[in-house]
Amino acid sequence: MSETVLLGDEAVALGAVHAGLTAAYAYPGTPSTEITEYLIRYRRKHGTPIAQWCANEKTAYEEALGVSFAGRRALVSMKHVGLNVAADPFMNSALITINGGLVLAVADDPGMHSSQNEQDSRLFADFARVICLEPSSHQQAYDMTREAFDLSERFQIPIMIRLVTRLAHSRGNVTTAEPRPENPVAKSATPASWILLPANARRQWRALLERQPEMRRYTASCPHNTVTGADSPAPFGVITTGLARNYYIENIEDLGVAPPHLHVGAYPFPADMIRKFVGGLRRVLVLEEGYPYLERALRGVLPPNVDIEGRESGHVPPDGELNPDIVRASLGLKSRPGLTIEGLTLPPRPPQLCAGCPHGDSFHAVTAALAGFPDAVVTSDIGCYTLGALPPYNAIQSCVCMGASVGMAKGAAEAGLHPVVAVIGDSTFLHSGVTPLLDAITEDTPMTLLILDNKTVGMTGGQPTIRPSSQLEDLVRGLGVPADHLHVLDAHPRHDAHNTAVLRREVEHRGLSVIIAVRECLETIKRGKQEQVAARA
């Protein structure tokens, strides 16, 4: 055993390694990116496990499934909205008979620090009828990840580890345990269970349902669901989940009498345990990050004369992250005044593109090319370039989900708007932009797709794109875009006039066109030079 300081993400990664991990797959997405970055660094140093970035979360999940089929242990990680992309293989994998342990680490982002929504992944685990573990500390992130692989092989289902931003991106002490060796290759002994033909799927679905009581017995007896202060004379009880426990503990001393406390860290939630905990209480406060998932469930578990307070009842804010002050207010405690420094006024710091970012030059060209078109539409996507919505650019009109810029542009054009430009980054295009472009190619939709190629996954810290920039033009041409309406431009400000002219010509074209604006991200150039200097030192 040894003690080390790790990010929550890194605790998950190291826990997986020590559980005998053979392979890990992911697509970069804040706040989950550091899981795979840690594993890539670990592999460079130790030679194992396999750790790879993938085209998107769906392909990552499917590759992890293949490792499980071969009898070995696999980790797949993603941010919460990435699970929407991977939902198809995730939901169906609950029905197959998992062979090697398969763990899905999902990092939710309550408060939407870098996301377009704050959906709660616990509902996905409930939807798939699988076990979800929710750590409240870095030590639990490590321990639960190790245990999750054992649970996956015991119940023959994928296991979800649900993180939130504050745990994923904070550091804490972790005491590690003796590593476990990798599983040997051992192909699934029940291959028919992996073939979800209707007859097999019906049998597998029934088998999954029959395992539910055993899963509930596990969560009712596991150390992640605990009761303290059951004999407290306090007039109400507190139920916490995940990280909310820490915020509650910070306020206990000021309560005078600590109320009975049930913490839930493993799901399916332990209904009988909750009924016993509530007993004669007439009021229960539920503190949970994300949706009022447990609070809603309790309304079908507890008697109607028990007041259930939480996000849905309005006793806790319905959105955003929890913190000690919010929990303090929900407990009825007086607020603690913060320090005020007279004369200090912090200037506003709105998010913006980096100084000299090539995307800024591309947006200037787009704006100039669309001058004189009052009904012009520019759909955009997920990435640094989403900041083109803000001053001084004000250049885009939508940002919904990965790849939506292309499909939305096609729909808007076919609805009668003109001109329509879709803006998407190189990595996002490879993630989810290729398939809607095929739709547009088939219909020769009158729209222009502008691919901003900065040769990296910029928004998450500069991970490599799944294929190099040099192959984008061949890929787009191979899909069927006409050569006379496919252009590759140098997105340098000295080419602004030329680039604007090409864009103007193509938006006036009443058919599909694709323009690839190429210029490397300044941050990756800077980092590359620093690495070269370090290598020479």
Side-chain angles (χ1 to χ4, degrees), residues 349-374:
R349 298 175 60 191
Q352 58 184 331
L353 292 173
C354 301
C357 173
H359 295 340
D361 298 313
S362 295
F363 282 131
H364 286 311
V366 169
T367 301
L370 296 178
F373 290 106

Side-chain angles (χ1 to χ4, degrees), residues 448-520:
T448 298
L449 172 60
L450 175 60
I451 302 174
L452 303 179
D453 180 3
N454 64 355
K455 305 183 179 183
T456 189
V457 190
M459 194 177 192
T460 50
Q463 294 77 28
T465 54
I466 196 66
R467 298 304 302 157
S469 169
S470 59
Q471 296 183 5
L472 272 185
E473 182 181 2
D474 288 342
L475 171 62
V476 173
R477 183 183 295 110
L479 293 173
V481 174
D484 52 345
H485 292 289
L486 171 60
H487 307 272
V488 179
L489 305 178
D490 181 350
H492 193 280
R494 65 174 173 268
H495 300 301
D496 271 354
H498 171 71
N499 294 347
T500 300
V502 173
L503 271 162
R504 179 78 181 198
R505 186 169 68 244
E506 291 303 334
V507 299
E508 291 175 337
H509 167 59
R510 290 288 181 164
L512 177 68
S513 58
V514 176
I515 297 172
I516 305 171
V518 183
R519 190 168 147 225
E520 187 173 359

Side-chain angles (χ1 to χ4, degrees), residues 237-239 262 269-286 294-309:
V238 174
I239 299 178
L262 167 63
F269 65 88
D272 291 340
M273 187 179 188
I274 291 172
R275 290 190 191 96
K276 182 179 179 183
F277 166 76
V278 172
L281 294 172
R282 289 294 172 264
R283 183 162 69 93
V284 176
L285 175 65
V286 183
L294 189 58
E295 180 189 352
R296 284 182 179 176
L298 293 188
R299 300 189 194 287
V301 171
L302 299 179
N305 63 340
V306 177
D307 292 332
I308 302 170
E309 301 175 350

Side-chain angles (χ1 to χ4, degrees), residues 418-456:
H418 181 81
V420 178
V421 176
V423 177
I424 192 170
D426 47 346
S427 183
T428 309
F429 174 67
L430 295 170
H431 178 288
S432 292
V434 174
T435 44
L437 177 58
L438 285 169
D439 292 347
I441 291 168
T442 300
E443 302 299 331
D444 193 22
T445 304
M447 57 175 274
T448 298
L449 172 60
L450 175 60
I451 302 174
L452 303 179
D453 180 3
N454 64 355
K455 305 183 179 183
T456 189

Side-chain angles (χ1 to χ4, degrees), residues 222-231 238-239 245 259-264 270 273-274 276-278:
C222 75
H224 311 309
N225 299 332
T226 57
V227 174
T228 56
D231 298 329
V238 174
I239 299 178
R245 173 164 67 180
H261 174 209
L262 167 63
H263 178 73
V264 177
M273 187 179 188
I274 291 172
K276 182 179 179 183
F277 166 76
V278 172

Side-chain angles (χ1 to χ4, degrees), residues 43-61:
R43 177 178 170 81
R44 286 177 187 149
K45 187 174 181 180
H46 301 279
T48 60
I50 294 168
Q52 297 174 354
W53 297 116
C54 302
N56 60 39
E57 294 84 354
K58 181 176 184 291
T59 64
Y61 198 98

Side-chain angles (χ1 to χ4, degrees), residues 83-165:
L83 185 51
N84 299 337
V85 179
D88 196 0
F90 169 66
M91 293 298 298
N92 292 326
S93 69
L95 270 67
I96 61 179
T97 302
I98 289 295
N99 190 21
L102 174 60
V103 173
L104 164 65
V106 184
D108 290 0
D109 189 20
M112 293 180 273
H113 295 281
S114 56
S115 307
Q116 61 271 45
N117 73 33
E118 53 179 31
Q119 68 188 54
D120 188 328
S121 295
R122 292 178 298 172
L123 280 84
F124 258 120
D126 187 26
F127 195 18
R129 310 297 293 267
V130 300
I131 290 173
C132 172
L133 303 179
E134 187 179 15
S136 62
S137 68
H138 303 78
Q139 185 65 56
Q140 278 200 334
Y142 173 86
D143 293 336
M144 284 182 169
T145 303
R146 288 196 64 146
E147 182 185 3
F149 284 98
D150 296 335
L151 292 172
S152 177
E153 292 174 359
R154 170 182 166 186
F155 290 104
Q156 299 180 309
I157 55 171
I159 303 292
M160 176 187 291
I161 299 286
R162 186 223 184 195
L163 303 168
V164 294
T165 305

